[in-house]
Amino acid sequence: MKLVAGIDSSTQNCKVTVRDLDTGAAVREGKASHPSGTIIDPNRWWDALLTAVRRAGGLDDVIAVSVSGQQHTPIFLDETGEVVADSPQWNDTGSHPHMMALNAELGRDEWIRRTGLPLTLSDTAPKLRYMRDLHPEAVARTAAVAIVHDWLTWRLRGFGPGSGRAGLDELVTDRSEASGTGYWSPETDEYTMDLFEHALGRTAILPRVLGPLDRAGVTGAGIPGIPAGIPVGIGSGDNAAASLALGLQPGEAVLSLGTSGVVYARAARPVHDYAGYVCSYADATGDHLPLVATLNAARNFELATSLLGCTFDELSDLALAAAPGAGGLTLLPYFEGERTPDLPHARGSLHGASLANFTRENFARSVIEGTLASQVAMLDALHACDVPTNRLLLIGGAAQSPAVQAILGELVDIPVAVPAPDEYVTMGAAMQAAAAAEGAFPAWRVAVDELAAVPFEPQVGAQYEAAKTALGYVDVLAAPADGPATGAASVTAGSPAA
């Protein structure tokens, strides 16, 4: 049996899955937690990778390895390859004023025209400006900037601290990771260096962008649990890896409920959303992956279980015991601020509570309804950019919840399917490892459960929009209260709320 390894360095942890090259079946896996917080020492990510590899039984028997990971988060390196500062993660909201400054200086539409990104606080360019403004001494020492998966790939190849090999020119990346920076063009597949320098205030080395089937190199010597000389795949951003694993086809969309909520679809051409929400990322195959994201998703359910003193299964049972609309109880789940809509300083709020409706069942349902209403608004944003969808794939840690499945079906009018539980990001990375070893992506089958259609429930969307209106939130992503999310554009003209 030939084995390949896929690594997912996500926001919360690092996962390693070793798979059978012929079938894609998981043989063994390991996991290690990342530190909490949103400003992180990158070396903690490398340490977690090594721990996860050890817990997976090492990689001595694999023929190739590849890394995927959280997008956007920059790592700043000096001329010797040492990290010069802690990294502001994609979900750190401290870069919001710096994003606003970049948009004010060049015009928001200019960023969209040139990069396909409505610049958000999550993108790399605002993180560069954040560092320039708040940590100029670190920027003065910066010789190269990489994203998390770029840097981990580089470390696997034997470069970095203690190696005696600075090797900054050996940094490589893929289109998906480059497309999330805010200084890469989806039309030319090249960096827009003037935008990078405008954000950071100086030039620096950037990872070379390789093609979908390219090999990053081979593993270096002396890395615990990892043999030297095996092929290293090019890797990708996490959503691109999941899309590759799922075999996403044009006309299909994915809703991923993890730390963040993400909706994306496969497209042949880049998207330029001047309404300001759809990000024109690239995928891992050579196509494009228009994507919309929220900061708040599955952690909302963790909060609910903690407050109610119940398990996830019990939360689902409670929610399904309540009627659609939760008796008028409505949650706006902006606990960590929000990216879509652009409300970085907002906080979660509960609306319509009365002595009659404030029950455990209604509260459980309001948490799930409010979270999913945020995601459905993102699906509408894709439709408004002429990215039609005729099938929705639900993945992520919350996808197996019966309440999540049932309530999502009430909010959309396209078929919903749930792929079998798996680590799809590590699977996509493992497919890239296989390509590095064999020259082509493997054809691994993913089992999918098609959900039964359920009646559309318009009051859920109506309550969600009414709650936003009550707080004065200006949202151009408002889904029509009297109709479900469909293939037709439903986004009105306007700008995100500042």
Side-chain angles (χ1 to χ4, degrees), residues 304-311 314 360:
T305 59
S306 177
L307 289 174
L308 294 173
C310 66
T311 65
E314 290 167 340
R360 286 166 57 85

Side-chain angles (χ1 to χ4, degrees), residues 197-370:
E197 293 168 10
H198 182 82
L200 189 64
R202 58 167 298 176
T203 191
I205 295 170
L206 297 179
R208 183 163 47 94
V209 181
L210 300 181
L213 296 176
D214 286 340
R215 179 190 293 188
V218 298
T219 52
I223 303 175
I226 303 175
I230 65 171
V232 179
I234 186 54
S236 66
D238 47 5
N239 294 303
S243 173
L244 178 64
L246 291 166
L248 194 66
Q249 299 299 310
E252 294 180 329
V254 172
L255 166 54
S256 176
L257 287 174
T259 303
S260 61
V262 178
V263 174
Y264 55 84
R266 183 172 174 178
R269 298 181 302 276
V271 167
H272 296 272
D273 178 20
Y274 292 97
Y277 286 103
V278 179
C279 299
S280 189
Y281 298 142
D283 76 354
T285 72
D287 275 349
H288 298 269
L289 201 70
L291 178 151
V292 197
T294 65
L295 296 180
N296 300 275
R299 287 184 298 177
N300 303 342
F301 307 148
E302 295 175 3
L303 175 65
T305 59
S306 177
L307 289 174
L308 294 173
C310 66
T311 65
F312 285 102
D313 288 342
E314 290 167 340
L315 179 70
S316 179
D317 291 342
L318 285 168
L320 290 176
L329 196 64
T330 305
L331 177 74
L332 295 184
Y334 307 149
F335 296 107
E336 297 293 325
E338 193 45 87
R339 165 177 170 169
T340 307
D342 181 25
L343 299 167
H345 305 299
R347 291 296 179 263
S349 55
L350 194 64
H351 299 252
S354 69
L355 293 176
N357 71 5
F358 202 10
T359 66
R360 286 166 57 85
E361 292 82 2
N362 282 335
F363 177 71
R365 188 172 187 105
S366 73
V367 172
I368 296 177
E369 287 183 342

